[in-house]
Amino acid sequence: MNQDLLVRFLFSQRDVRGEIAYASDSLQQMLQNHDYPYPVKQLLAELVVATSLLTATLKLDGDIAVQLQGDGPVRFAAVNGTAEQEFRGVARLQAEIGATGFRDLIGEGYMLVTITPKQGERYQGIIPLTGDSLTETLEAYFAQSEQLPTRLYLFTDLTENNSRAAGLLLQVLPVDPDKAKQDFNDLVIVTDTITSHELLNLPTEQMLHRLYHDEEVELFAPQQIRFVCGCSREKCEAAIISLGKAVIEEHIAEGKLDISCDYCNSTYHFDSAELSLLLNKF
């Protein structure tokens, strides 16, 4: 079974490249400590594999944040990823969930893609939400930012104890524009027949052969996808110190300070004695 992997592939006779992202155990780790309604879990699951595909497409050496912001019940949803395919995600709600469509959840708003390379300048792309799905919005982002025809397919399978998501991306190669366009259109017709069962359950090679049996497809070594929250007690201590002496003294008087992580829902407890030790570092 495909688990927590990013797989890149290339059509030998076509000017088109592809990627497949699978998230299961890592996705379950991200969602299990949150009491999100099912549609919100589904949205985040799609966003996780979409961010993985986007990161790989950009050949990023750094960090990426894909955020959805709107006036709907889901005020904010975001996934942060890295070139090492490490991710974390969070959603914030401002109303009860009623209808479950993409635009029903987000409402009117926009998507932000923030790229922070290890070297070079930070870049941020902002586009209005487009259509009625995350895939349509992301395809519009590619059309605007990279000006390369791109097609996305996102599927999820979520239960209480098991979370799975998979995504497939096709994108033209900037070689011969006319040939690439025709190649892309031909492959999209075939790929539009893919089902959630095929993408979520079939081994990668079998799924690609079933879809593209008339094509020569070259697979590259897979890359592991991992949920990495990034929080730690040491980081919390640094955050407390940054609050300043006066604030720390207030919490010493109160007897404690608790810091919760939005991404994994862990809570770090600091009592008066521990806060006093931090105060001594000034």
Side-chain angles (χ1 to χ4, degrees), residues 110-159:
Y110 48 88
M111 183 179 76
L112 295 87
V113 178
T114 306
I115 299 168
T116 308
K118 292 180 180 178
Q119 295 183 342
E121 295 185 2
R122 181 171 174 265
Y123 164 81
Q124 187 172 76
I126 304 175
I127 67 166
L129 297 184
T130 303
D132 296 320
S133 68
L134 178 60
T135 55
E136 290 180 65
T137 299
L138 285 164
E139 287 169 1
Y141 168 79
F142 280 111
Q144 174 181 296
S145 65
E146 296 193 32
Q147 299 181 343
L148 293 174
T150 303
R151 192 63 176 261
L152 278 162
Y153 305 83
L154 303 175
F155 298 108
T156 63
D157 177 23
L158 306 178
T159 64

Side-chain angles (χ1 to χ4, degrees), residues 236-253:
C236 289
E237 290 176 353
I240 292 172
I241 291 172
S242 71
L243 296 175
K245 294 177 65 175
V247 175
I248 296 175
E249 287 171 347
E250 288 178 9
H251 287 286
I252 290 174

Side-chain angles (χ1 to χ4, degrees), residues 196-264:
S196 61
H197 174 79
E198 289 173 323
L199 190 56
L200 286 165
N201 295 289
L202 294 182
T204 303
E205 291 190 28
Q206 182 181 345
M207 186 273 296
L208 289 175
H209 178 71
R210 180 178 291 195
L211 271 182
Y212 309 120
H213 53 272
D214 291 331
E215 305 289 340
E216 292 182 25
V217 181
E218 180 183 1
L219 276 175
F220 298 93
Q223 188 176 2
Q224 194 74 30
I225 294 175
R226 298 189 301 142
F227 168 68
V228 177
C229 173
C231 71
S232 68
R233 192 168 186 84
E234 291 72 21
K235 290 183 178 179
C236 289
E237 290 176 353
I240 292 172
I241 291 172
S242 71
L243 296 175
K245 294 177 65 175
V247 175
I248 296 175
E249 287 171 347
E250 288 178 9
H251 287 286
I252 290 174
E254 293 173 3
K256 67 173 185 176
L257 172 59
D258 294 337
I259 297 181
S260 297
C261 174
D262 288 339
Y263 293 100
C264 69

Side-chain angles (χ1 to χ4, degrees), residues 18 24 40 65 73 76 84 120 179 281:
S24 55
V40 179
F76 174 87
E84 291 75 31
K179 181 178 182 302
K281 295 187 177 183

Side-chain angles (χ1 to χ4, degrees), residues 63-136:
D63 300 332
I64 187 170
V66 182
Q67 301 176 14
L68 301 171
Q69 298 186 23
D71 60 5
V74 179
R75 174 174 62 86
F76 174 87
V79 169
N80 299 334
T82 71
E84 291 75 31
Q85 290 299 320
E86 298 174 346
F87 75 87
R88 60 182 186 174
V90 68
R92 297 193 178 97
L93 280 61
Q94 60 185 359
E96 292 291 326
I97 302 297
T100 60
F102 175 70
R103 295 304 291 273
D104 298 317
L105 294 174
I106 306 297
E108 294 298 324
Y110 48 88
M111 183 179 76
L112 295 87
V113 178
T114 306
I115 299 168
T116 308
K118 292 180 180 178
Q119 295 183 342
E121 295 185 2
R122 181 171 174 265
Y123 164 81
Q124 187 172 76
I126 304 175
I127 67 166
L129 297 184
T130 303
D132 296 320
S133 68
L134 178 60
T135 55
E136 290 180 65

Side-chain angles (χ1 to χ4, degrees), residues 43-76:
L43 175 65
L44 282 172
E46 290 185 352
L47 201 55
V48 163
V49 289
T51 301
S52 175
L53 295 169
L54 183 57
T55 304
T57 300
L58 297 173
K59 298 178 181 178
L60 174 71
D61 184 18
D63 300 332
I64 187 170
V66 182
Q67 301 176 14
L68 301 171
Q69 298 186 23
D71 60 5
V74 179
R75 174 174 62 86
F76 174 87

